[in-house]
Amino acid sequence: MKIEKIISVVLCAVLSLCIAFCGMLTALEFTLFKEGYLARKMEKSGYFTAMNNAVKVSCQGYAVDAGLNATAIDHFFTQEDLKADILVNMDARFRNVYSTTPSRFSSLVEYFENHIAWETDQQITPEQRERLLVLQASCERVYQEASRPPFDAALSTLLQYRSVRKWGWIAFAALAAGSLTLLGWIDRSARARREYVANGVLGAALTLWALSALLKGKLNGKSWMPEENLSQELFSQWLGGFPGALAVIGLLLLVVLLVCTFWYAQNCSARRPAPPAQASSGRKIRRDQAVKSPAQPARQIYRRPNQIQK
């Protein structure tokens, strides 16, 4: 009997861990594994604006080195162009397909050749053309780097685990079903099975809360990349949503457990038979005694004439 009790505790712990791992996969599915979640964090953290300003400043510096006005190349791309290119490349990364960013500075040399010729009525010199080619290549390189998905290396590693998440669901679900079946063999009563499931769900909720509290301080972008990195704020918000999702799923498991417990208690009380009713005098009355007898015919109160005493 003692060995069966130990085996039951171990199987219940395995059931709790399997439910907790399924909850963790669910949290990943709605946060780090989801492309729309990263896009919303990029918009919220101001990532697009920061990258646009960084590219503008770099290209303006190259323009000054080439002998041009600093704002002469600002019209070659807009923040919406950069945002669209970043989202397209990010979508390709999540779908594991190859993508190319369109060139935004391919017409730079031709544009300034025509512009200088119109202002000075002279053709540009080979030295000026060489400087424009260097400017075009430098600006194009900066733009192509800025249009890549943020923290590309970490994202690539995470998406490798995302590709096998289906097998994780199958493995943990099969392990949970196996442990629940073994628990049913050890104790075949329906009440014991309900207790095992309730303990498993409660243990999974507590595990998810403990994991959320542990990761909340560890998954901090400030400790993973320097402050001068433009992706630091985005990285912090992106990772910070995962512990919160774990806590929410743990809370949902607890709510489901409480609702099911309350429903079962109400159902059992409704099926319980009511106690038999008793008479006010304390004496039980049988049903056949309670039925009234039919009315008796009226007694004859007169005599017929032939019955008069002679």
Side-chain angles (χ1 to χ4, degrees), residues 17-47:
L17 291 177
C18 290
I19 298 175
F21 275 113
C22 290
M24 185 178 66
L25 288 176
T26 304
L28 286 171
E29 195 70 30
F30 283 98
T31 54
L32 304 185
F33 286 169
K34 192 174 183 180
E35 178 185 354
Y37 170 77
L38 178 56
R40 289 193 301 270
K41 293 301 180 181
M42 293 169 71
E43 189 72 37
K44 183 179 179 180
S45 63
Y47 177 79

Side-chain angles (χ1 to χ4, degrees), residues 251-263:
L251 180 61
L252 290 177
L253 287 177
L254 184 60
V255 169
V256 170
L257 178 60
L258 293 176
V259 169
C260 292
T261 303
F262 178 76
W263 174 83

Side-chain angles (χ1 to χ4, degrees), residues 125-139:
T125 63
E127 182 181 356
Q128 290 176 330
R129 183 178 179 82
E130 184 67 24
R131 287 200 300 265
L132 291 177
L133 289 174
V134 172
L135 174 63
Q136 178 182 351
S138 301
C139 292

Side-chain angles (χ1 to χ4, degrees), residues 198-209:
N199 292 333
V201 174
L202 179 60
L206 295 177
T207 302
L208 290 175
W209 284 342

Side-chain angles (χ1 to χ4, degrees), residues 158-235:
L158 183 68
L159 292 180
Q160 292 178 2
Y161 295 101
R162 179 175 178 261
S163 61
V164 297
R165 68 187 185 280
K166 178 179 66 176
W167 301 108
W169 279 104
I170 295 175
F172 291 128
L175 190 58
S179 61
L180 190 59
T181 302
L182 292 176
L183 287 170
W185 285 347
I186 294 175
D187 194 342
R188 297 181 180 274
S189 63
R191 180 179 179 182
R193 294 181 182 179
R194 288 192 296 268
E195 290 180 354
Y196 290 145
V197 174
N199 292 333
V201 174
L202 179 60
L206 295 177
T207 302
L208 290 175
W209 284 342
L211 186 61
S212 174
L214 180 64
L215 294 178
K216 189 174 182 180
K218 299 295 182 180
L219 297 181
N220 188 359
K222 296 181 179 179
S223 60
W224 288 51
M225 57 178 57
E227 294 184 1
E228 58 270 14
N229 195 319
L230 297 177
S231 303
Q232 187 207 46
E233 182 65 24
L234 170 62
F235 194 66

